[in-house]
Every structure is written in C-alpha cells, then in structure tokens.
Amino acid sequence: MIVANRKSLEEILNMLKPYKKVLLLGCNECVTVCAAGGEREVGVLASELKLSRAKDGQEIEIKEQTLERQCDHEYIDQVRPFVGDYEVILSIACGAGIQYVGEKYRTKIVLPGVNTTFLGVTLEQGVWSERCQGCGECVLHMTGGVCPIARCAKSLLNGPCGGSSNGKCEVDKDLDCGWQLIIDRLKELNQLDRYEEIIPVKDWTTSRDGGPRKRLREDLRL
Amino acid sequence: MKTKSNIERILESGGFVVTSECGPPRGADPEVIRKKGNLLKGVVDAVNVTDNQTSVVRMSSFSSCIILKEMGFDPILQMVCRDRNRIAIQSDILGAGALGINNILCLSGDHQKFGDHPKAKNVFDIDSIQLINTVKILRDDGKFLGGEEVKGKPVLFIGAAENPFADPFEIRAARLGKKVKAGCEFIQTQCIYNMEKFTKWMEMVRDRGLHERCAILAGVTPFKSVGMAKYMKNSVPGMDVPDGMIERMKGVAKEKQSEEGIKICVETIQKLREIPGVRGIHIMAIEWEEKVAEIAQSAGLLPRPQV
C-alpha cells in the first residue's frame, strides 16, 4: 500500500487560516489501511480543527466526506454537487489522490493534509515499513525476494557496504541492513551462489529518472 | 605494467607497498595539503586523498591530488558514488587521466547522514563494484558505459576498499571476489585491530585465490588515546576493536597513551607482514600525519624504493 503520515495539526491550521468553509476529503484505500486518511481520520481531524478554531474564536465549517478512491475520477465526481459550497478542499488521501482532486476541480484550491511517504507493508498494528520504490525494473528474482533499491540505504546492487554490523545498517541502529536480509534469504532458498554474479549498472529510465511515467494498455482502452 | 602507477610498479617487482592518506581541508587553502604532504615525503609510495570523507564537505579529492602530484607524489584519487552519477564519474575519470593521476580508489561512500549536510539528496546511480568496472571499461576497452568510444583512454591503476570486519562476514571474501572480477587490482582494508578475524578473512581470500589477482594492502590506524580507541569501537560504523586493545590502552598513564598507540600500530604491522597474501600496508593516521614516518621507520618499512 501507499503509506502516508498525517501532517501536524499546527501545519494544517496554518494552511487553513484564510478559510471558513472546508471540504475535508478522506480516501477508503491505502490511507485508510495505514490510518492516515480514512473515514476515521477524517472525523478525528475535523473535530480537532473545529475545536482549535473555536478556541481562537475563528469558527470553521467542515464538510466531512470519504471517497471510495481519490485516484479514480468517477469517485471524485461524487462531490461535484456540493463542492462549490466550499472555499477550499483539504485532502488526506495520498499525493496522487490530492493532485487528482485538484485536476478535476480546477478552480478549487486543494490542500494536502498528509505527507505521502512510501510503498510498504503493515509489520504489526501501528507499524509500517517500506518495501518498494517503484523503480520500474524489478530485480527481486536475483536478490532473494528482498529489494536492494528500497531496503539498502545506498541502493547498492552488489552487496553490503562496510557499514553493515550485526544485521543493522550504519544509518540507524534500528534499521535492518537490506543486504543482510538478502544474504539470509538467499541462504534459506539455497541460492547463495547468486550473490557471486555482478549485477551491472542499472537502467534508471524506467524509474523517476526517465521523467514522469505513464502506463498504457491498448487492449483495455475504450 | 598497465599504468604509470608507482604502486603497480613496486607490486610487479615483488616489493611491499606502503601507502598513507591525506584528508583535504575544510577550506580553499592549498598549504594544508602541502604541509601534510611534506610529512609523508620519502615515507610512502602513494598517497590516498579522501573524497568528502564521512560526508563532510572538504576540498575536492581531485584538486588535492593535483597539489600532491605537483609535490612529486603519486596520488590515489578516492571517488565515492554518493555524490556523482555515471556522467560526472566518467568525466572525472577522464580528467584524472588527462592530469596524470595514476590511481583510483572506488568506494560507495559514507551515507550523508553522518556529515554536515544530512539533508542532501544522495546519488548512488552506480555502486562501488560497478564503479570499478566503469574504470576498467574506460581504460581497457576504451568504451563509455553508454557504449560510445573513448578518444584517449584514461590509464589508472584500479583499487577499492574492503572491510573484513563488516557483516555478513561469510560473504566478505565473495564480495572481494566480485570486486576482483569487476577489475580491481589493489585493495586497502579497513583499520585492522582484530587480528584473529583478519587472519580468518585472509584465509577465505586465499582459498579463492584472490590474493594472486589483487594486491591486499592491510590498513592500520594508530590510537592517540584510550578515548579514541573507545570512539572507534563504539561510534565508527564497521570498526572492530577488541576489548583487549582498549584494556591495553587503559593500562598506561595518560601521557604515555599516544606512545602506546604507536607501539600497538607498529606491532600490528609486523604481524600483518607475516600473513601470506598481504602485499603492503596502508597507514591511516587520522589528523596525525606527522606520525606516519615514525611508524614506517619503527616497522622497518623504510627506506622506500626510489621512484
């Protein structure tokens, strides 16, 4: 899933300073799972905002709405009947959702209520961890199913640097060394000989470096 | 001989190599380099010049190499992958070739988190093993990574670093094997304090025959004090300082500690020289360059062969 963190109340209040009528939009997908921008978070944020503004004598009207997805226009269209009643949209979907809402309502200012961080998994209740950077050319079959791009702090493709110690990364004592994980897994899979192969320089054109990406499936187009 | 490198020449003649390093200053004063250089005259066969080590901004390795070259040294250009993509890297390698730099040390580079600009974006377009191979392709095949032909090949002796004490230990020799396969001709190791582990690593290196295809220069760093020893043990990533070493430093009076540090260093060198496959010593006296001559002298490494 796409993992996001809600921005601090202070930062959101600051962005909302000039406005009195706000449409607060949550999303039922990834940000719901990572507890940053789902229906529950919409409710909590709305209450916090109203309370703070009331304390400052700056009443605020907030319409709470959580869409099935903010990355598909058919769901974004659902707020069309009343979007005009509000001065500003505060979206707590991921960065893709926030932008897409803005693309659909071009005269509306859309403010981000979260910081979008990474593609990851739920480790346990309340803990999420990065797994993928969407580089566009997967090498997991060569690295024991553990991604060196996302999980090594230096994205090294040919093994651990000299800072790997007791399974941890030099960057942070609480961070697993990605290459330790790769080597452990290769051993479990009886594939340690794969480590001997030199992985050549990577073609980054499939990643962000090639410019903003677009995917096309002719067979699915109408 | 593939290059004009002094270390390659000594290695080919079967000699034992001595190198040291020079950390560039945090400013534009060339005298700092010249002063450090003067302390190493006649003591070493080549001088490493670090590349923004620990991710702290310093005078570039490249320009410091040129200053040392003008003084008659054979500098080793250290190059990290943290700050340059393959375009900048290849461009600097061509420049090094043009200006008569004969050696390059290919490194991944410390993470910027440790330095004075932790908010910087890192590059890591290629890794150290791919960098080794890049230099080799430019030099031996006369090709850029993009496939085009190089007009005027850069002729550099190719080195890299290896940390025998980092984890996972079991693949450390395999990792060196990848470096050798990529084109690495000499290795300078992380500072050696844990002789037992280093000896084990060298066994693994010899089992693979890597010592015959790549010269291993063993790294040493003298302790100035017990405080430094503790700092190296606890705060420097990938450093392995056995408790016995700390105890030994603790055991002498404060004013005698630097002397003891030098003594340990000299003894370490003597032990390292006995290990089959060790072809030289790399003395890293961090901000203590004035002691390199004394260490080399006491360890019986002087005089150096004439250039």
Side-chain angles (χ1 to χ4, degrees):
Chain A
M1 89 193 87
I2 297 170
V3 179
N5 277 332
R6 212 199 74 191
K7 282 180 179 284
S8 72
L9 184 62
E10 193 191 353
E11 191 180 350
I12 297 174
L13 280 167
N14 240 332
M15 286 190 286
L16 287 177
K17 228 174 220 164
Y19 310 110
K20 290 193 177 69
K21 293 186 80 170
V22 177
L23 172 58
L24 172 54
L25 283 188
C27 175
N28 248 336
E29 293 286 345
C30 313
V31 287
T32 295
V33 184
C34 69
E39 192 169 6
R40 193 175 161 273
E41 290 72 33
V42 165
V44 171
L45 178 57
S47 308
E48 284 181 299
L49 288 170
K50 282 185 214 158
L51 220 70
S52 293
R53 289 282 289 254
K55 234 178 9 191
D56 297 340
Q58 303 274 322
E59 298 293 326
I60 190 167
E61 184 192 331
I62 300 176
K63 162 88 173 163
E64 300 172 31
Q65 186 83 29
T66 300
L67 304 179
E68 200 49 42
R69 281 198 287 281
Q70 284 189 36
C71 51
D72 271 324
H73 54 76
E74 62 198 88
Y75 299 108
I76 298 175
D77 270 345
Q78 291 170 357
V79 300
R80 196 171 292 282
F82 51 88
V83 70
D85 302 340
Y86 299 90
E87 297 165 281
V88 68
I89 300 171
L90 174 63
S91 166
I92 54 174
C94 71
I98 300 169
Q99 288 181 62
Y100 212 29
V101 169
E103 285 171 47
K104 295 296 162 194
Y105 303 114
R106 301 195 64 86
T107 57
K108 280 277 165 249
I109 290 168
V110 184
L111 303 172
V114 299
N115 295 315
T116 304
T117 50
F118 54 78
L119 300 183
V121 297
T122 311
L123 284 187
E124 54 187 88
Q125 177 74 18
V127 185
W128 295 273
S129 171
E130 182 165 18
R131 287 293 181 274
C132 178
Q133 290 198 350
C135 76
E137 197 198 7
C138 196
V139 295
L140 286 172
H141 56 298
M142 294 192 278
T143 55
V146 179
C147 178
I149 306 292
R151 306 195 68 188
C152 165
K154 301 176 186 173
S155 295
L156 303 179
L157 283 170
N158 282 292
C161 72
S164 174
S165 185
N166 297 316
K168 298 296 174 187
C169 171
E170 68 174 25
V171 168
D172 183 346
K173 282 195 169 99
D174 295 324
L175 185 68
D176 290 329
C177 164
W179 270 97
Q180 178 77 57
L181 299 174
I182 293 171
I183 298 298
D184 289 349
R185 189 80 195 285
L186 285 174
K187 266 198 302 193
E188 284 166 15
L189 298 171
N190 223 355
Q191 290 184 337
L192 196 55
D193 54 319
R194 296 237 166 137
Y195 176 67
E196 309 271 341
E197 289 165 39
I198 294 176
I199 298 184
V201 291
K202 189 170 169 67
D203 174 356
W204 292 104
T205 54
T206 54
S207 189
R208 184 211 59 83
D209 308 271
R213 292 167 278 181
K214 191 173 179 177
R215 179 169 168 258
L216 230 112
R217 275 276 304 268
E218 284 300 346
D219 57 323
L220 293 177
R221 301 185 79 195
L222 298 173
Chain B
M1 287 252 315
K2 286 195 189 106
T3 73
K4 288 181 178 162
S5 160
N6 200 28
I7 35 182
E8 186 188 15
R9 192 178 57 79
I10 294 171
L11 288 168
E12 285 224 335
S13 68
F16 196 79
V17 169
V18 179
T19 57
S20 186
E21 72 175 25
C22 182
R26 304 208 63 208
D29 182 3
E31 283 310 314
V32 181
I33 296 287
R34 293 192 188 111
K35 228 163 117 184
K36 286 187 176 187
N38 276 326
L39 297 168
L40 300 173
K41 272 249 157 113
V43 178
V44 295
D45 306 313
V47 186
N48 287 55
V49 185
T50 48
D51 180 8
N52 297 297
Q53 74 268 30
T54 63
S55 312
V56 170
V57 178
R58 291 166 188 278
M59 185 190 292
S60 70
S61 173
F62 202 142
S63 44
S64 309
C65 277
I66 297 304
I67 296 168
L68 288 166
K69 174 99 188 158
E70 284 167 354
M71 294 176 74
F73 283 102
D74 189 25
I76 302 172
L77 175 71
Q78 293 198 184
M79 190 178 283
V80 301
C81 300
R82 176 192 61 228
D83 310 321
R84 301 172 181 80
N85 68 7
R86 67 190 74 178
I87 299 171
I89 282 174
Q90 293 180 98
S91 162
D92 276 350
I93 293 168
L94 294 184
L99 290 168
I101 292 172
N102 302 319
N103 313 283
I104 186 166
L105 196 81
C106 305
L107 308 161
S108 306
D110 294 316
H111 195 273
Q112 74 275 10
K113 189 197 170 184
F114 299 102
D116 60 346
H117 292 75
K119 293 181 179 177
K121 187 175 192 333
N122 58 36
V123 181
F124 296 117
D125 173 20
I126 64 177
D127 64 25
S128 60
I129 290 172
Q130 294 162 344
L131 172 55
I132 291 166
N133 200 236
T134 302
V135 187
K136 188 176 166 64
I137 291 168
L138 287 168
R139 184 189 72 186
D140 296 348
D141 304 342
K143 290 270 192 309
F144 289 106
L145 286 178
E148 298 280 311
E149 185 194 341
V150 176
K151 296 190 176 82
K153 300 175 194 170
V155 186
L156 284 90
F157 196 46
I158 307 170
E162 190 55 55
N163 183 359
F165 310 106
D167 292 316
F169 181 66
E170 62 201 290
I171 56 100
R172 283 289 148 183
R175 186 164 184 271
L176 177 60
K178 285 176 94 163
K179 289 188 174 178
V180 174
K181 197 153 83 175
C184 184
E185 292 154 325
F186 72 98
I187 281 285
Q188 292 169 319
T189 76
Q190 176 67 285
C191 322
I192 299 157
Y193 300 108
N194 186 340
M195 193 60 78
E196 200 182 319
K197 200 160 189 183
F198 180 72
T199 306
K200 179 92 216 313
W201 180 76
M202 277 303 296
E203 269 172 39
M204 287 156 67
V205 168
R206 287 194 304 271
D207 284 348
R208 286 174 172 255
L210 298 173
H211 63 302
E212 284 161 358
R213 294 159 62 200
C214 175
I216 312 287
L217 314 185
V220 293
T221 292
F223 294 132
K224 272 183 180 172
S225 63
V226 67
M228 174 182 172
K230 281 186 188 159
Y231 176 79
M232 300 274 267
K233 182 183 175 71
N234 301 322
S235 306
V236 181
M239 197 69 77
D240 184 347
V241 183
D243 292 331
M245 282 276 174
I246 309 271
E247 290 307 312
R248 184 168 161 187
M249 287 296 287
K250 261 192 200 161
V252 297
K254 205 165 185 187
E255 63 278 8
K256 294 260 182 189
Q257 278 179 2
S258 67
E259 211 176 291
E260 191 68 13
I262 300 282
K263 224 165 118 186
I264 293 175
C265 186
V266 170
E267 287 168 20
T268 305
I269 294 173
Q270 282 158 346
K271 284 182 204 151
L272 289 168
R273 291 185 76 171
E274 302 302 316
I275 298 177
V278 172
R279 304 283 309 276
I281 298 291
H282 179 49
I283 306 169
M284 294 165 276
I286 302 156
E287 294 303 318
W288 212 19
E289 285 86 354
E290 65 268 29
K291 290 291 178 188
V292 177
E294 182 187 328
I295 293 166
Q297 181 69 45
S298 307
L301 297 169
L302 298 183
R304 300 309 311 148
Q306 288 298 303
V307 182

